[in-house]
Amino acid sequence: MATFTRKNAWNQNGTFHNPDLLWYAKGVSVMQSRSLNDQTSWWFFAAIHGNRWPNIPGPPLVPTTPQPSQGLIDQYWAQCQHGTWFFPPWHRGYLYAIENILREIIQSLGGPGDWTLPYWNYFGPDNQYKIPPAFTVQNLPDGDLNPLLVAARYGPNNDGNIFVPLSSWGITQECQKDYDFVGGNSNGNSGDYGGAETGFEHFASLFGDLEWNPHNFVHAAVGGQTPTGRGGLMSNPETAGLDPIFYLHHCNIDRMWAAWNSSGKANPNDPNWLSGPTASGDRKFYMPKPDRTPWQYAPDVVNDTGQLNYTYDNLSLGIPPELAGRDALRLRNFGLTMDETRLLSTMNLNANTELVGANSSMTTLDATGARTTVKLDSKGWETVTKSLTNTFAARINNSPAATNLPDQVYLQLEGVKGNEDSIVCSVSINQQYVGHISLFGLYNASIKDSQHGGAGLTIRLDITKIVDQMHLSGMAELNSLDVLIQPVNIVAEGSELTIDRVSVYRKGLM
Ligand SMILES: [Cu+2]
């Protein structure tokens, strides 16, 4: 039995009547009163996530001095793991560390000894897609300034109204349907739940599904933009840890991971994951303990929340169970059923991924968006068509069970580079909506220095459904795809946003 249970921030209507929020605010105040060079200060913790801070409009006033020793900076700062299979475990350790520091402070203030970090489940019923009101009021009940309120938080419409635009941006819990933590049956941005296998990655290019949606979109929505198109604190990983809502957002991401595990899906047992980047000789993960000594950790000690002595009051998967099993649903469109377990294992073991088309030159995206044509390779596309026709034939021959899944098809934006992370766009092919994209992490992925390769972001969008529909309505004879990328918020003047290549991939058994 875990000692600590993390609870919903929307309890008691998300106000300061919720003791978890009131004590969080008091704890944050104390951490903010500590100096930047103190390992247990709010500022030091934010710098662990990212420490490239531009001029930030207060409140709060963000200190830039006194800097810690170079040794402490090297050990702790700019660690956050994004675009990697270490995204879930690194952030779990980060939350655990700040929760321990906050709990110690809260206890010293006379608060509850079993205080836990609340989570913001924006997928919850009623108003829970909105930021809990405790984050937007000016004052604490005792009249003190509310440390949970920050100025540089603008919201999805850039007007200070903070909510998660679930349906309009396509923010979902679809990732919870994934089968594999890494490298498995592909359905979202990266084709796996937790992320692609890497070493220590402050910013790699391809996101796991949990990180891509909802994680990245919630960052973009909450942070929002100024009227000139500059992101709020949450819109950029370098500044996100400065906003107190950050930890409640990540607490929900951590809860989703725990829920995914408790539904029977497993974390990797690969030693390269379990022992962390040290397995490949890279930097270790460190967090400060309340006594300011370092805690070194790896995924094998945060694999299960029980190892850290906490759980959540809600570990439901969050999606209706009858909708789990996307592949079965897909085949239903073809009038077929499937032996899911058998098909999936075949798919995972034997699937090939093949490039079947690309555009011919770099694309530049400005305030009006970008349009490009992806020319399809006739032989590659024929393979896709054939896989669909075979599935069709199975139905015509009156065989109720499918023996193969038809190909999955992806649209890939490769080498997306730029300097403004807050941009969100809508993508369509041949006038059919594919999905929204968030450019959270863009700047870090685009710069070339000792920690970053500069390859830009790779964004992979599943267009299988659209291709299926095209096939079912007899439109599969295609030579090219017309790709339209339209910003739904501001692309600032002078912001340089380019996409090296737009391509289409198939994944299938042929
Ligand atoms: Cu984050």
Side-chain angles (χ1 to χ4, degrees):
M1 265 304 269
T3 309
F4 300 106
T5 302
R6 294 181 181 168
K7 299 179 285 295
N8 192 326
W10 265 95
N11 288 343
Q12 284 85 26
N13 298 316
T15 65
F16 283 123
H17 292 293
N18 178 347
D20 294 337
L21 292 176
L22 182 63
W23 286 108
Y24 179 54
K26 291 183 180 191
V28 170
S29 277
V30 172
M31 286 184 77
Q32 290 188 348
S33 72
R34 296 176 177 172
S35 64
L36 176 63
N37 63 352
D38 177 344
Q39 294 96 306
T40 65
S41 75
W42 186 254
W43 323 112
F44 192 98
F45 251 81
I48 291 174
H49 200 267
N51 66 327
R52 199 179 288 110
W53 297 345
N55 287 330
I56 293 167
L61 280 177
V62 176
T64 50
T65 56
Q67 289 276 313
S69 68
Q70 196 57 44
L72 282 181
I73 291 177
D74 293 344
Q75 183 175 19
Y76 288 111
W77 282 13
Q79 262 191 79
C80 71
Q81 301 287 300
H82 290 92
T84 151
W85 64 350
F86 294 129
F87 166 78
W90 184 86
H91 284 84
R92 176 166 285 173
Y94 187 45
L95 293 186
Y96 177 71
I98 198 168
E99 185 183 51
N100 279 334
I101 290 168
L102 285 163
R103 185 182 296 130
E104 197 198 64
I105 293 169
I106 288 165
Q107 272 180 292
S108 75
L109 296 173
D114 62 351
W115 178 87
T116 47
L117 190 63
Y119 58 85
W120 175 23
N121 179 16
Y122 18 78
F123 297 111
D126 307 321
N127 280 335
Q128 296 184 32
Y129 68 97
K130 296 181 180 172
I131 196 168
F135 285 81
T136 61
V137 295
Q138 294 289 330
N139 301 95
L140 295 178
D142 64 9
D144 282 356
L145 279 182
N146 179 9
L148 306 185
L149 177 67
V150 302
R153 188 198 284 150
Y154 306 111
N157 301 326
N158 307 337
D159 58 1
N161 182 17
I162 314 298
F163 66 98
V164 177
L166 297 173
S167 53
S168 55
W169 285 14
I171 302 170
T172 70
Q173 302 181 84
E174 284 284 307
C175 65
Q176 297 296 75
K177 296 176 184 172
D178 282 0
Y179 297 96
D180 297 295
F181 190 96
V182 61
N185 189 53
S186 197
N187 272 294
N189 179 52
S190 74
D192 44 58
Y193 185 74
E197 178 171 355
T198 70
F200 186 99
E201 280 293 350
H202 189 37
F203 261 92
S205 60
L206 191 64
F207 299 105
D209 291 345
L210 173 68
E211 184 177 6
W212 171 249
N213 185 357
H215 167 264
N216 285 3
F217 287 97
V218 173
H219 271 284
V222 172
Q225 299 177 310
T226 64
T228 54
R230 299 297 169 203
L233 295 179
M234 277 283 278
S235 306
N236 189 318
E238 291 296 320
T239 52
L242 289 163
D243 187 333
I245 196 62
F246 172 96
Y247 298 95
L248 277 70
H249 165 37
H250 267 274
C251 195
N252 193 50
I253 296 297
D254 187 68
R255 186 189 64 85
M256 288 177 70
W257 179 27
W260 187 77
N261 283 150
S262 78
S263 79
K265 317 264 180 63
N267 294 335
N269 51 20
D270 184 334
N272 286 341
W273 185 78
L274 288 168
S275 48
T278 33
S280 48
D282 282 347
R283 212 177 139 178
K284 297 172 175 146
F285 298 157
Y286 284 107
M287 291 294 160
K289 292 199 269 194
D291 66 5
R292 296 174 176 79
T293 59
W295 170 49
Q296 193 223 314
Y297 69 103
D300 60 357
V301 301
V302 299
N303 219 341
D304 184 296
T305 64
Q307 290 169 290
L308 301 175
N309 202 17
Y310 75 91
T311 185
Y312 288 94
D313 66 351
N314 176 356
L315 283 173
S316 74
L317 202 54
I319 47 168
E322 70 272 16
L323 287 182
R326 277 170 291 204
D327 299 314
L329 271 182
R330 184 180 171 204
L331 286 174
R332 205 180 294 160
N333 289 333
F334 290 83
L336 294 166
T337 58
M338 70 188 288
D339 174 345
E340 211 168 305
T341 331
R342 183 174 55 84
L343 277 181
L344 284 174
S345 51
T346 324
M347 197 76 188
N348 291 347
L349 288 174
N350 303 322
N352 298 312
T353 304
E354 184 191 5
L355 178 73
V356 294
N359 68 349
S360 52
S361 61
M362 192 178 87
T363 310
T364 302
L365 194 139
D366 59 23
T368 61
R371 180 165 221 156
T372 187
T373 303
V374 173
K375 203 175 146 354
L376 296 168
D377 162 58
S378 56
K379 207 165 152 274
W381 193 250
E382 212 172 277
T383 315
V384 175
T385 313
K386 215 181 270 171
S387 81
L388 286 157
T389 311
N390 288 346
T391 310
F392 243 163
R395 184 177 73 170
I396 291 160
N397 296 336
N398 235 345
S399 112
T403 49
N404 274 340
L405 279 172
D407 284 358
Q408 295 172 336
V409 187
Y410 301 95
L411 180 73
Q412 192 156 292
L413 312 181
E414 298 164 10
V416 186
K417 293 173 201 157
N419 54 16
E420 181 50 63
D421 290 46
S422 62
I423 298 164
V424 174
C425 302
S426 140
V427 178
S428 64
I429 52 167
N430 295 5
Q431 279 102 51
Q432 305 235 41
Y433 171 72
V434 173
H436 276 60
I437 58 170
S438 152
L439 301 183
F440 185 72
L442 180 72
Y443 180 68
N444 276 327
S446 305
I447 50 174
K448 222 183 179 131
D449 62 17
S450 57
Q451 287 191 56
H452 307 86
L457 295 174
T458 303
I459 297 174
R460 190 178 291 167
L461 297 163
D462 193 341
I463 56 168
T464 305
K465 229 186 225 167
I466 295 174
V467 172
D468 279 1
Q469 277 318 317
M470 285 177 177
H471 187 83
L472 287 165
S473 54
M475 293 165 50
E477 298 281 309
L478 288 173
N479 301 314
S480 63
L481 293 175
D482 176 31
V483 180
L484 187 62
I485 305 167
Q486 285 175 301
V488 301
N489 54 9
I490 303 163
V491 176
E493 223 168 293
S495 125
E496 295 148 21
L497 190 53
T498 56
I499 305 166
D500 286 348
R501 187 170 85 155
V502 181
S503 58
V504 173
Y505 283 82
R506 60 169 282 270
K507 184 180 176 186
L509 293 170
M510 279 187 275

